[in-house]
Amino acid sequence: MKTTLADIEAARRTIAGHVLRTPLLPAPPLSGLTRAEVYVKYENLQVTNSFKERGACVKLTALSEAERRRGVIAMSAGNHAQAVAYHARRLGIRATIVMPVTTPFVKVKATEALSAHVVLDGETVMEAQARAKAIAEAENLVWVHPFDDPHIMAGQGTIAAEMLEDQPDLDVLIIPIGGGGLIAGNAIAARALKPKIEIVGVETTLYPSMWNALHNGTRPCGGATLAEGIAVSQAGALTLPVVRDLVSEIILVEEVLIERAVNAFLTLQKTMAEGAGAAGLAAMLAAPERFAGRKVGLILCGGNIDPRILASIVVRELERENRIVSFRMIIPDRPGVLGQIASRLGELGANILGVEHHRMFLDVPAKGTKLDVTVETRDSAHADEIFRALEQDGYRPVRVEGGAGLG
């Protein structure tokens, strides 16, 4: 069954009143960062904080009464799970969700809170899928695939239809790829409504499944990625031909760029993006010249990120920008020296975040101590100024990577 624009328009009627028509808004701070004219579609504002509600709503609404009585089962690393659980509860359908054991705790608890029965199994999405299929067969449950389903693809395609309705002159859409349901549905809609629009996909370098399928590649799929929502090791059978026909390029992004993109959404746009949700912006950071001067539509497809991981990303980015820096010094072990250094740092405008002493190491003189100090600075130039001042004071500081003194 081939998904068409007519199917996507029908899906829009199905989800009306049940799924939020999210805003598409200009993003001047991101435009300044990337030198493009950026517009963001805020799918993180959905009830379950991701675009997955669209496809789940369309699929579950299409079930017969007999299928609804049987109950449904889905496999997901989090967002599809919550979307199926939410709309299943709304429609009075029993839902079982299989999630990899590596799924962030926040997503597991959110799915359970929506009255779904959660089964944790497998290290990867594909291992979880095998368990889900076994349960579906044993209990005669209706399988709700996360991406390789015409109803799912049609539901996801409603995003591009809304984007082009709100901003018809977009030049390019950059869309994250896991199994391909999001990009396939939206490529169908966008290219039907505006044939000359360019569709660019983005995958993490750790899971280049669609890139491999298109290029007969053998890049390995696996590893711990911040973008677990698109950590899929095999492209969809239904989505692959759509991507091959309608998508001009797939950009592979490193983890550090996904971190930077998550941080940019938080600190510049003041909104929450999970790793997969920030992948489109990461692609722009990877190839800024590719999109400079163009009107770019980004889908912030999910905002379900573990708060602890988010906090770590923010600190790591501050370190990369030299706004948090650490120095190591060998100092005399006598009263008042630490106070002198603290006062000196205060004079230089540095905010002390952490201090560690190491007296027992053999590379430290018997009458000395190794001192690690972590400070907050204004920028790289300020950090260099502090370093030079400590050198001139005779402390012979050495820069330490990784925030020594933050514990």
Side-chain angles (χ1 to χ4, degrees):
M1 177 179 168
K2 185 177 180 181
T3 302
T4 66
L5 179 61
D7 297 320
I8 293 168
E9 291 298 339
R12 290 189 72 180
R13 294 190 291 271
T14 296
I15 68 175
H18 303 296
V19 174
L20 180 65
R21 192 192 192 288
T22 55
L24 176 73
L25 300 174
L30 300 186
S31 298
L33 179 67
T34 61
R35 294 182 290 113
E37 188 175 341
V38 179
Y39 293 81
V40 176
K41 180 70 165 171
Y42 287 89
E43 286 297 293
N44 61 339
L45 297 179
Q46 298 291 354
V47 173
T48 60
N49 306 114
S50 94
F51 77 99
K52 288 286 191 178
E53 284 192 32
R54 296 171 181 266
C57 180
V58 174
K59 175 65 176 179
L60 295 180
T61 302
L63 297 181
S64 67
E65 285 300 321
E67 289 173 323
R68 294 188 186 195
R69 286 193 297 270
R70 285 164 55 191
V72 299
I73 186 167
M75 170 278 300
S76 168
N79 290 336
H80 181 62
Q82 293 175 63
V84 171
Y86 173 69
H87 286 285
R89 185 176 69 176
R90 182 177 64 82
L91 295 167
I93 302 171
R94 178 172 58 94
T96 300
I97 310 293
V98 181
M99 309 177 82
V101 297
T102 53
T103 302
F105 183 69
V106 64
K107 293 185 178 183
V108 176
K109 296 302 293 182
T111 306
E112 290 176 335
L114 292 167
S115 305
H117 171 57
V118 175
V119 177
L120 296 176
D121 192 278
E123 290 290 325
T124 66
V125 169
M126 299 310 293
E127 290 176 5
Q129 179 171 311
R131 176 66 185 281
K133 286 184 175 180
I135 295 173
E137 184 175 345
E139 300 183 17
N140 193 31
L141 301 175
V142 177
W143 176 247
V144 182
H145 200 281
F147 51 83
D148 227 8
D149 182 289
H151 291 104
I152 297 292
M153 292 164 60
Q156 321 305 30
T158 60
I159 298 173
E162 293 175 5
M163 293 175 75
L164 288 174
E165 194 171 81
D166 292 344
Q167 195 67 39
D169 58 349
L170 289 174
D171 298 317
V172 57
L173 301 182
I174 307 177
I175 304 176
I177 302 176
L182 178 65
I183 195 169
N186 284 288
I188 291 168
R191 293 293 296 277
L193 293 167
K194 187 176 181 178
K196 292 186 178 180
I197 195 169
E198 185 181 19
I199 310 296
V200 174
V202 53
E203 293 183 298
T204 167
T205 54
L206 292 176
Y207 288 87
S209 55
M210 189 68 74
W211 190 96
N212 279 341
L214 293 179
H215 297 88
N216 295 317
T218 58
R219 290 173 178 263
C221 286
T225 175
L226 180 62
E228 74 280 341
I230 54 174
V232 178
S233 58
Q234 184 174 346
L238 297 181
T239 61
L240 174 58
V242 177
V243 174
R244 180 180 288 118
D245 290 344
L246 301 180
V247 176
S248 63
E249 180 185 6
I250 295 176
I251 296 175
L252 302 181
V253 294
E254 300 289 345
E255 291 297 302
V256 64
L257 291 181
I258 299 174
E259 287 188 31
R260 285 187 59 199
V262 168
N263 183 74
F265 270 117
L266 181 65
T267 59
L268 299 180
Q269 285 303 122
K270 313 305 180 186
T271 192
M272 195 86 76
E274 60 187 86
L281 179 58
M284 298 188 73
L285 297 176
E289 69 290 340
R290 172 89 164 70
F291 305 103
R294 306 179 71 188
K295 289 189 176 182
V296 178
L298 298 180
I299 302 174
L300 201 177
C301 57
N304 291 308
I305 187 168
D306 188 317
R308 179 182 60 82
I309 298 297
L310 182 61
S312 174
I313 289 170
V314 172
V315 172
R316 286 160 63 90
E317 193 62 22
L318 289 172
E319 291 176 350
R320 291 190 183 102
E321 295 172 356
N322 283 319
R323 291 169 61 193
I324 292 180
V325 295
S326 296
F327 302 101
R328 176 167 293 162
M329 299 168 279
I330 305 297
I331 64 173
D333 189 10
R334 63 171 185 262
V337 176
L338 181 58
Q340 293 171 8
I341 293 173
S343 297
R344 183 66 169 128
L345 290 171
E347 292 170 2
L348 293 166
N351 181 35
I352 299 175
L353 300 178
V355 176
E356 288 186 2
H357 282 86
H358 304 283
R359 289 183 174 85
M360 304 307 294
F361 294 163
L362 293 179
D363 62 343
V364 178
K367 291 188 177 181
T369 182
K370 183 180 291 185
L371 179 69
D372 290 341
V373 181
T374 300
V375 298
E376 181 181 14
T377 69
R378 293 188 296 272
D379 49 32
S380 293
H382 187 208
D384 291 340
E385 176 191 340
I386 294 167
F387 186 84
R388 288 192 299 270
L390 293 174
E391 281 186 320
Q392 292 169 4
D393 291 346
Y395 291 114
R396 293 185 294 176
V398 175
R399 291 284 290 270
V400 178
E401 299 296 330
L406 283 178

Coordinates of all heavy atoms in Angstrom, one line a residue, residues 331-342 371 395:
I331 N 51.6 23.9 44.8 CA 51.8 25.1 45.7 C 52.4 24.7 47.0 O 52.3 23.5 47.4 CB 50.4 25.8 45.9 CG1 49.5 24.9 46.7 CG2 49.8 26.2 44.6 CD1 48.1 25.5 47.1
P332 N 53.0 25.6 47.7 CA 53.5 25.3 49.1 C 52.4 24.9 50.0 O 51.3 25.5 50.0 CB 54.2 26.6 49.5 CG 54.4 27.4 48.3 CD 53.3 27.0 47.3
D333 N 52.6 23.9 50.8 CA 51.6 23.4 51.8 C 51.7 24.1 53.1 O 52.3 23.6 54.1 CB 51.7 21.9 52.0 CG 50.5 21.3 52.7 OD1 49.6 22.1 52.9 OD2 50.6 20.1 53.1
R334 N 51.3 25.4 53.1 CA 51.3 26.2 54.3 C 50.1 27.1 54.4 O 49.5 27.4 53.4 CB 52.6 27.0 54.3 CG 52.8 28.0 53.3 CD 54.0 28.9 53.5 NE 54.1 30.0 52.6 CZ 54.8 30.0 51.5 NH1 55.6 28.9 51.3 NH2 54.9 31.0 50.7
P335 N 49.8 27.5 55.6 CA 48.6 28.3 55.8 C 48.6 29.6 55.0 O 49.6 30.3 54.9 CB 48.6 28.6 57.3 CG 49.4 27.5 57.9 CD 50.5 27.2 56.9
G336 N 47.4 29.9 54.4 CA 47.3 31.2 53.7 C 47.5 31.2 52.3 O 47.0 32.1 51.6
V337 N 48.1 30.1 51.7 CA 48.4 30.1 50.3 C 47.1 29.9 49.5 O 46.9 30.6 48.5 CB 49.4 29.0 49.9 CG1 49.6 28.9 48.4 CG2 50.7 29.2 50.6
L338 N 46.3 29.0 49.9 CA 45.0 28.8 49.2 C 44.2 30.1 49.2 O 43.5 30.5 48.2 CB 44.2 27.7 49.9 CG 42.9 27.3 49.2 CD1 43.1 27.0 47.7 CD2 42.2 26.2 49.9
G339 N 44.2 30.8 50.4 CA 43.4 32.1 50.5 C 44.0 33.1 49.5 O 43.2 33.9 48.9
Q340 N 45.3 33.1 49.3 CA 45.9 34.1 48.4 C 45.5 33.8 47.0 O 45.1 34.7 46.2 CB 47.4 34.0 48.5 CG 48.0 34.5 49.8 CD 49.5 34.2 49.9 OE1 50.1 33.7 49.0 NE2 50.0 34.4 51.1
I341 N 45.4 32.5 46.6 CA 45.0 32.1 45.3 C 43.5 32.5 45.1 O 43.2 33.0 44.0 CB 45.3 30.6 45.0 CG1 46.8 30.4 45.0 CG2 44.6 30.2 43.7 CD1 47.2 28.9 45.0
A342 N 42.7 32.2 46.1 CA 41.3 32.5 46.0 C 41.1 34.0 45.8 O 40.3 34.4 44.9 CB 40.5 32.0 47.2
L371 N 47.1 21.3 43.6 CA 45.8 22.0 43.8 C 45.1 22.1 42.4 O 45.7 22.6 41.4 CB 46.0 23.4 44.3 CG 44.8 24.3 44.4 CD1 43.9 23.8 45.6 CD2 45.2 25.7 44.7
Y395 N 52.9 30.4 39.8 CA 52.2 29.2 40.2 C 52.4 28.1 39.2 O 52.0 26.9 39.4 CB 50.7 29.4 40.5 CG 50.5 30.2 41.7 CD1 49.9 31.5 41.6 CD2 50.8 29.8 43.0 CE1 49.7 32.3 42.8 CE2 50.6 30.5 44.1 CZ 50.0 31.8 44.0 OH 49.8 32.5 45.1

